[in-house]
Amino acid sequence: MATLISSNRSRGIKNSLAKWLITLGGISVLFTLVLIFMYLLYVVKPIFESAKIEQTVNISIDLADNEKVLGSGVDELKELAYQITESGNIDFYHLKASVPHADNQFAIGDNSLSVSLFVSDDFNQDHVVNVVNSFSANKLLHTAKGQTLLIQPSFHAKYANDTREIIPQVNYPLGYNSLVIDEQQAALSQLAFAMNDERIVFVGFTQDKRLIKTSFIAEDDFSSSGDDVEYETIFQQIELFNGAVDEIKVTPDLRLAFIRSGSTVYVYSLNDDEEVSLKATITPTLANNETYLTSMGLLSGSSSVLLGDNSGQVSQWFEVATDTGRQFKQIRSFKANDDSVKYDKNNQASSAITAIYTEQYRKSFYTMTQSGMVNVFYTTSAAHLWQGQLTSSQPETFTIAPRANGIIAIVNDPLDANKKSLQAFSVHNEHPEVTWQALWQEVWYEGYPEPDYVWQSTSGSDDFEGKFSLVPISFGTIKAALYAMLFAVPIALTAAIYTAYFMTPGLRKKVKPTIEMMEALPTVILGFLAGLWLAPIMEEYLPAIFLLFIFLPLSTLITAFAWHNLPNDWKDKLPETLAPILLIPVIILATYAAFSLSGVLELTLFNGDMRQYLTNDLGINFDQRNALVVGIAMGFAVIPTIFSMAEDAIFSVPGHLTSGSLALGATQWQTLIGVVLLTASPGIFSAIMMGLGRAVGETMIVLMATGNTPILDWSIFQGMRTLAANIAVEMPESEVGSSHYRILFLAAFVLFIFTFIFNTAAEFVRQRLREKYSSM
């Protein structure tokens, strides 16, 4: 008795321990899933944060005799800012030191210099990553006497006693002598320029109403600064279609010039050194007769021009390929004035866009009104990022920091004309290109003929804009899973039915473990074989692949029919366990016949080349690594999962249900369809959904067996890119914390949601089926 009590106590302790361990394991799994979910949200959250602009520095500046400040700038680290006055002085200011005024100050030319025009080539800054030498944009100073100088404020780092000091200096890329912009040496009222290592192009409007283009062509290149730079000068006069010029912009690639005259913008081609031709005319459709253009700006990338009007509207235009050639079209518009602010038609200056400032590398831009109201937009995502009053009135200068993380503004003191202030602002706007619209809706990108869903995260061009639509890769995930399931489900379910219901117990003990062992086969092996072995074979023998889909089922049915009609004496001579083996030679013969007839069929129906026939005659693109290859390869990976669970469900149907059905006169097939499959339907459905979840999350097969092309096309002859494969390919090359990096985590979150939805739906349907057929 004591032994029995001790045994029961021991058994109770073991049961309790097992119960708590299983409970702890379940809670740990749930806790791990919640942690994964929360971490994904933690990484993704910053891309949807709003932009923030905050003032960090305010330095008082004293200037004599109402002197104007023409330009300003800042180094990459936002430690030194500078201003350029109309007298030609360049003053540098520390933004982080206790003494604002820097020791290094510079004067351009003699004391009599009076600058009438100041032009900055903001798109051609040459920044060095390690900030040992950091160059600001090239600045062009034009005096009232017609003199022109090209200067380049720059910064270099000096290290002493474990501290870094930024030292400012001013370079003269073309020397100290005045540049001749106009052959007649007339003063200029408007001027713009752009340059590269071999050429500088100036486009100006003289005070005697001439529109001119001047090109400096270096004999070597302009990278070697100083007086020894030798270049050829070409002067050209441009036909002017209107007597006035309000603004001039030259694209950084020196290809186009935009001339705004009133509310019309003339686009000139600058490629020809013999003649400057009019390429296009942009005439925006304005709200009413009282609306007119007030400002113009160029986006980075040399493609888009921004036009602002006096009602607070900004429109984006770029070239689009049409049936009649390339034309400038209005792509999208932005509203700078807030709807909550009452619009006074009698005082349009309060909402008029007086200036448009664009970032150097991104498609963001700032608008300014006379009252100092600033709006920040991102063009591609059509996002209105920020709106606010940075200054009490429109600043004299407004400069965006090279890394777009700061702003420098020179603001007039309303009480004293000789006093100004240099105000620095920090800008937190790391992911302006990411919005729900950009991720899930069609976006019209520069250079594209129409809006489209595009995923293209990297390029070899510095002007490249990342395209992060999740639609193509989400579509690719669904497409790959669909074709894999179309291949796997019929084979897996029919195999499971035969194995569990018709196969002899002895043969079942060998077949089921063998198929289940296939699940342990690394998918990288399947992907390798699919990409390097199966794909070339399918390309070469494409008709044979389609013949196999006909020959294999047909030959199986013919063999089964023949076996069914054989005399029983013949059937008894072959052991029942070996009967299924009869299909092996049949399948081999059917496969041989399909490949033998491939060439004949291709020559007869497809002019000797089915792939060329599909591409040239039917207009169907064909990729060697396509959805058909992925469907077959991933289908083989999914078959063991579906087969094992479905076979267990069918085999577990109580024997008394089957016996009762047969006893009532039902045939084996009637029993299978009316009793066995219905009873096992919850398990069969769970098996299918588990296989679908496996297909959705598969990585290596789709990575190696497709072209990884993120396209929206259901064609079996084209590839795709899935969420999982995209993460595996691009995560190693993404910069930590960048928009690309965080969007890849968002893709992982979407994949997580996909599998969660599929599993939840599967459990819901399984429970309904179980409740429905549990009474059988």
Side-chain angles (χ1 to χ4, degrees):
M1 179 65 69
T3 304
L4 181 61
I5 295 174
S6 175
S7 176
N8 290 336
R9 185 182 297 112
S10 175
R11 186 181 298 110
I13 293 173
K14 291 178 180 179
N15 290 339
S16 299
L17 182 61
K19 175 185 176 181
W20 284 108
L21 287 177
I22 293 172
T23 303
L24 180 61
I27 294 175
S28 299
V29 171
L30 293 176
F31 182 70
T32 302
L33 290 175
V34 171
L35 282 182
I36 293 173
F37 185 84
M38 296 303 295
Y39 181 72
L40 290 175
L41 287 180
Y42 169 76
V43 177
V44 170
K45 178 180 174 292
I47 63 178
F48 297 109
E49 291 180 350
S50 302
K52 297 179 182 178
I53 302 179
E54 299 175 345
Q55 188 180 67
T56 55
V57 177
N58 190 344
I59 301 174
S60 180
I61 301 172
D62 291 327
L63 295 176
D65 301 327
N66 298 328
E67 187 175 11
K68 294 181 179 179
V69 177
L70 301 179
S72 59
V74 65
D75 73 306
E76 281 193 280
L77 300 179
K78 297 191 300 181
E79 293 187 9
L80 272 181
Y82 63 87
Q83 65 176 12
I84 301 177
T85 65
E86 62 180 348
S87 62
N89 292 322
I90 304 180
D91 301 320
F92 290 87
Y93 298 89
H94 291 293
L95 299 181
K96 296 184 178 180
S98 57
V99 180
H101 210 268
D103 296 333
N104 303 62
Q105 310 301 324
F106 300 88
I108 309 300
D110 53 33
N111 294 330
S112 62
L113 185 67
S114 178
V115 180
S116 60
L117 273 179
F118 171 82
V119 184
S120 177
D121 181 21
D122 292 323
F123 290 109
N124 284 311
Q125 302 185 30
D126 181 16
H127 297 293
V128 180
V129 176
N130 60 12
V131 203
V132 174
N133 289 294
S134 178
F135 297 95
S136 181
N138 293 305
K139 315 292 183 181
L140 199 65
L141 305 180
H142 182 75
T143 69
K145 298 179 181 180
Q147 297 176 314
T148 305
L149 285 174
L150 184 67
I151 64 172
Q152 185 185 66
S154 62
F155 310 88
H156 68 273
K158 178 182 178 182
Y159 295 90
N161 299 324
D162 296 330
T163 59
R164 185 192 66 232
E165 181 182 4
I166 304 297
I167 308 298
Q169 63 184 33
V170 177
N171 301 322
Y172 295 81
L174 299 183
Y176 298 93
N177 297 325
S178 175
L179 307 176
V180 179
I181 304 300
D182 179 27
E183 192 172 16
Q184 301 178 20
Q185 298 189 6
L188 301 172
S189 58
Q190 294 289 340
L191 181 62
F193 79 104
M195 65 181 294
N196 55 31
D197 289 341
E198 300 176 352
R199 178 186 290 259
I200 307 178
V201 173
F202 303 87
V203 177
F205 183 63
T206 64
Q207 292 187 358
D208 56 4
K209 309 298 183 182
R210 288 180 296 111
L211 187 62
I212 62 172
K213 171 199 170 187
T214 302
S215 302
F216 292 173
I217 303 174
E219 293 186 2
D220 187 9
D221 59 63
F222 289 114
S223 59
S224 56
S225 302
D227 292 323
D228 57 343
V229 177
E230 296 183 0
Y231 52 86
E232 176 189 1
T233 305
I234 300 177
F235 298 100
Q236 296 172 269
Q237 186 160 333
I238 305 174
E239 183 180 2
L240 184 62
F241 294 90
N242 199 329
V245 172
D246 297 308
E247 277 185 278
I248 301 175
K249 300 290 183 182
V250 177
T251 57
D253 58 4
L254 309 126
R255 187 172 56 91
L256 299 174
F258 294 87
I259 312 296
R260 183 174 73 84
S261 178
S263 294
T264 303
V265 177
Y266 300 95
V267 185
Y268 291 90
S269 174
L270 304 179
N271 293 328
D272 193 349
D273 288 334
E274 298 294 332
E275 181 182 3
V276 179
S277 58
L278 181 66
K279 181 180 179 66
T281 301
I282 300 175
T283 306
T285 302
L286 303 173
N288 50 55
N289 294 332
E290 298 178 353
T291 309
Y292 53 88
L293 294 184
T294 55
S295 57
M296 180 172 66
L298 287 182
L299 276 181
S300 64
S302 308
S303 297
S304 291
V305 60
L306 301 170
L307 304 178
D309 61 36
N310 63 328
S311 68
Q313 297 284 340
V314 179
S315 57
Q316 179 190 6
W317 298 70
F318 59 73
E319 280 188 294
V320 175
T322 63
D323 296 337
T324 59
R326 298 185 65 83
Q327 298 178 358
F328 277 88
K329 285 189 176 183
Q330 179 176 335
I331 305 303
R332 52 182 68 92
S333 60
F334 308 87
K335 191 173 183 179
N337 55 318
D338 195 337
D339 291 335
S340 62
V341 180
K342 291 184 178 180
Y343 176 64
D344 184 4
K345 292 185 177 180
N346 298 322
N347 185 20
Q348 293 183 341
S350 61
S351 60
I353 306 297
T354 56
I356 298 175
Y357 306 95
T358 57
E359 293 183 5
Q360 181 186 353
Y361 297 114
R362 302 188 303 191
K363 304 296 181 181
S364 299
F365 69 93
Y366 295 64
T367 63
M368 179 69 68
T369 65
Q370 189 173 354
S371 62
M373 178 66 70
V374 175
N375 287 269
V376 187
F377 300 92
Y378 193 86
T379 54
T380 306
S381 59
H384 192 170
L385 303 172
W386 190 85
Q387 182 183 46
Q389 192 88 23
L390 291 181
T391 57
S392 58
S393 61
Q394 182 177 355
E396 281 197 352
T397 69
F398 187 91
T399 303
I400 302 172
R403 297 180 180 176
N405 58 351
I407 297 172
I408 298 296
I410 305 296
V411 184
N412 291 314
D413 189 328
L415 302 178
D416 190 343
N418 292 327
K419 288 187 176 181
K420 304 178 188 296
S421 62
L422 186 151
Q423 299 180 11
F425 301 86
S426 67
V427 178
H428 180 77
N429 185 27
E430 296 183 7
H431 313 288
E433 66 272 43
V434 184
T435 62
W436 283 113
Q437 177 182 352
L439 292 172
W440 298 107
Q441 296 182 18
E442 291 181 322
V443 177
W444 201 334
Y445 293 101
E446 294 177 347
Y448 283 69
E450 59 186 7
D452 202 356
Y453 300 105
V454 183
W455 174 277
Q456 187 182 4
S457 58
T458 56
S459 172
S461 172
D462 292 336
D463 296 328
F464 172 77
E465 176 188 13
K467 303 169 182 64
F468 298 115
S469 175
L470 292 179
V471 173
I473 53 179
S474 299
F475 174 85
T477 302
I478 297 173
K479 178 182 177 181
L482 174 64
Y483 285 120
M485 296 301 287
L486 287 176
F487 180 82
V489 169
I491 296 176
L493 290 186
T494 52
I497 292 170
Y498 182 80
T499 304
Y501 190 69
F502 294 103
M503 188 174 286
T504 60
L507 188 59
R508 178 180 178 270
K509 291 179 180 180
K510 298 177 182 178
V511 171
K512 190 173 188 295
T514 302
I515 297 178
E516 289 177 341
M517 284 179 61
M518 290 173 54
E519 196 167 8
L521 187 67
T523 55
V524 65
I525 302 298
L526 290 176
F528 177 82
L529 292 175
L532 299 182
W533 175 72
L534 180 61
I537 289 178
M538 292 180 62
E539 180 183 24
E540 185 176 356
Y541 298 98
L542 192 56
I545 303 303
F546 291 95
L547 286 176
L548 283 174
F549 286 105
I550 300 173
F551 284 8
L552 290 178
L554 187 61
S555 61
T556 302
L557 289 175
I558 292 173
T559 304
F561 180 76
W563 175 262
H564 178 73
N565 290 283
L566 280 177
N568 290 332
D569 295 340
W570 291 24
K571 295 179 183 179
D572 293 339
K573 293 179 181 180
L574 184 68
E576 192 176 1
T577 55
L578 298 180
I581 300 178
L582 287 176
L583 282 177
I584 295 178
V586 174
I587 291 174
I588 294 175
L589 286 174
T591 303
Y592 177 78
F595 278 87
S596 298
L597 294 174
S598 177
V600 177
L601 186 65
E602 194 168 30
L603 186 62
T604 305
L605 299 180
F606 306 110
N607 300 323
D609 193 330
M610 184 176 178
R611 177 177 176 177
Q612 292 297 325
Y613 180 83
L614 291 173
T615 303
N616 299 334
D617 294 9
L618 301 183
I620 301 174
N621 293 326
F622 183 92
D623 297 330
Q624 185 190 70
R625 300 183 182 184
N626 50 46
L628 188 58
V629 176
V630 172
I632 294 174
M634 195 153 65
F636 273 109
V638 172
I639 281 173
T641 301
I642 301 176
F643 168 84
S644 180
M645 295 184 64
E647 200 273 345
D648 286 340
I650 296 170
F651 190 77
S652 299
V653 173
H656 67 271
L657 295 179
T658 306
S659 301
S661 176
L662 294 173
L664 292 173
T667 64
Q668 274 194 317
W669 284 102
Q670 290 173 334
T671 302
L672 172 67
I673 296 172
V675 177
V676 175
L677 292 183
L678 290 180
T679 307
S681 58
I684 293 174
F685 184 79
S686 296
I688 294 174
M689 295 307 293
M690 287 295 292
L692 179 60
R694 167 75 185 275
V696 167
E698 178 55 47
T699 302
M700 295 309 299
I701 293 177
V702 291
L703 183 64
M704 303 179 70
T706 71
N708 281 309
T709 50
I711 56 175
L712 291 168
D713 196 325
W714 285 108
S715 172
I716 61 174
F717 300 115
Q718 286 195 280
M720 78 290 288
R721 176 177 289 195
T722 66
L723 289 164
N726 189 66
I727 295 169
V729 169
E730 299 195 5
M731 185 62 77
E733 66 183 26
S734 63
E735 179 186 353
V736 176
S738 65
S739 297
H740 181 203
Y741 176 83
R742 298 187 187 279
I743 290 175
L744 290 177
F745 272 85
L746 178 60
F749 182 76
V750 172
L751 186 61
F752 186 90
I753 295 298
F754 271 11
T755 55
F756 179 79
I757 292 174
F758 289 147
N759 292 335
T760 303
E763 182 63 21
F764 175 77
V765 174
R766 188 179 69 84
Q767 289 294 341
R768 294 292 300 271
L769 291 173
R770 175 175 291 180
E771 292 173 3
K772 183 176 182 180
Y773 298 112
S774 60
S775 60
M776 293 183 64

